[in-house]
Amino acid sequence: MALISQRISSMPPSETLAMTQIANELAEAGKDVIKLSIGEPDFNTPEVVKEAAKTAIDENWTHYPPVPGYPELKKAICAKFKRDNNLDYTPDQIIVSTGAKQSIYQVVMALVDPGDEVVIPAPYWVSYKAVVQLAEGKSVYIQTTIENDFKVTPDQLRAALTPKTKMMIFSSPSNPTGMLYSREELKALAEVLRDYPNVIVLADEIYEHINFEGKHESMAQFDWMKERTVTVNGVAKGFAMTGWRIGFIGAPVAIAKACNKLQGQVTSATCSIAQRATIKAMQMDPAISDDIINMRNIFLKRRDLVYDLLCQIPGFKVRLPKGAFYFFPDISELYGKQVPADSVFAKTYNKTTIENSTDFCMYILYDANVALVMGAAFGDDRCVRLSYATSEEKLREAMRRIREAVVKMK
Ligand code: GLU
């Protein structure tokens, strides 16, 4: 009998975290590595949120919180949904979890039975497929293209739906592509779903506040979708609170109850101090909060800088992202080219031809010391993902190094 269960041995590791781990190891070995692998804002958590956490400790908010989250926090989340998204949720529809990742895990576990189909537009965020696999569901991918801004069309969605479809999972703003669905585009998808009333949509809106086009659009805004959409959000990206591990859902009551039951068996609840601090974050109105607006403006400046520099790299096909903090260039034109025989990549892997996104990322990591993530991890082996949530200086240097390494390919 194997030591590790079949369930875990067959599950892919999180490639975003794996690439960051390799980059960290190289850095520990003394290499000057620029990490564009993990999607993590380089800003500090807003002062008002940190103060709330300190007060929470002094006020002894140190006991088990209620499983779904403190009532004050759930009320603040409902107010946020109303203020920012015009969505009416009641506190019994909110479950606060240890990061949006846990929220997604719980929703999938609560809804997907073995053999159920889950439609996932590709490119997708790495953990969707792993979680569906854990639930023994079947992921059905819809391949999108860079020419279509990596967005799924109504016809593509219709073709992917079957009587076995239980759920659809997508993110907008998208990780990894940075693209956004407009209201009209979302509505067109929702119109298709009208004919499939049993399909639940899991809308991952964690990048809501990093949107360079204007208003964020939620799937749950359409009245026929509200009762079958789970809206996932959290504080990691928009509030620079990755380490606090707070995510939440707004969901139909039956789904919220099921997630609550699961959470009660898994974590009991989420960290009391982080929850108290998140009340303050939820009270920050993104329309007027200097913290949120400044972060977005800085991301926008970096996006424009990286776009200019990426467009100058031969073989890179680049689309201008509209949100989140990622680029997802198509680099497949470089496949089949040779890297120098004396490169670290060539020596480590005993090959000189770049054949796919993993080869390219490893070449760039070992020889240019820039960490990217292979598009294969997100369901598109033609591309690579890079996060621009780091300083302009590091971004300029990273782009210079990547260009230099690419120019050496023959
Ligand atoms: N969501 C971020 C990313 O895609 C953080 C890492 C992770 O959870 O995968 O890089």
Side-chain angles (χ1 to χ4, degrees), residues 105-140:
Y105 171 82
Q106 289 182 173
V107 173
V108 172
M109 279 299 174
L111 298 181
V112 175
D113 273 324
D116 285 352
E117 293 179 2
V118 179
V119 168
I120 306 179
Y124 45 76
W125 178 50
V126 292
S127 294
Y128 299 158
K129 66 167 186 231
V131 171
V132 171
Q133 189 179 322
L134 275 184
E136 296 177 51
K138 180 172 172 253
S139 292
V140 175

Side-chain angles (χ1 to χ4, degrees), residues 14 16-17 37-40 101 125-127 175 207 237 326 378 385:
S14 164
T16 48
L17 303 183
S37 44
I38 197 152
E40 166 157 48
K101 197 181 266 188
W125 178 50
V126 292
S127 294
N175 177 4
Y207 293 93
K237 315 293 183 179
Y326 304 109
F378 305 94
R385 188 189 81 170

Side-chain angles (χ1 to χ4, degrees), residues 276-343:
R276 300 310 299 182
T278 299
I279 296 173
K280 274 280 174 260
M282 291 296 99
Q283 290 165 350
M284 290 164 69
D285 180 345
I288 53 172
S289 156
D290 285 342
D291 285 295
I292 297 175
I293 293 169
N294 286 343
M295 283 193 263
R296 184 169 51 238
N297 287 341
I298 293 171
F299 281 132
L300 178 59
K301 214 164 145 231
R302 291 172 181 173
R303 178 199 70 168
D304 291 343
L305 168 74
V306 173
Y307 182 67
D308 281 348
L309 297 173
L310 275 180
C311 287
Q312 293 169 32
I313 303 179
F316 272 52
K317 203 195 278 179
V318 191
R319 262 320 214 239
L320 186 68
K322 310 282 173 21
F325 37 63
Y326 304 109
F327 276 86
F328 201 62
D330 182 326
I331 52 137
S332 56
E333 220 180 287
L334 300 172
Y335 298 170
K337 292 199 183 249
Q338 305 288 310
V339 298
D342 62 351
S343 63

Side-chain angles (χ1 to χ4, degrees), residues 77-93:
I77 291 170
C78 291
K80 169 258 171 304
F81 272 130
K82 185 69 190 164
R83 180 193 61 212
D84 302 345
N85 315 111
N86 197 26
L87 296 178
D88 291 302
Y89 284 113
T90 47
D92 57 343
Q93 297 183 282

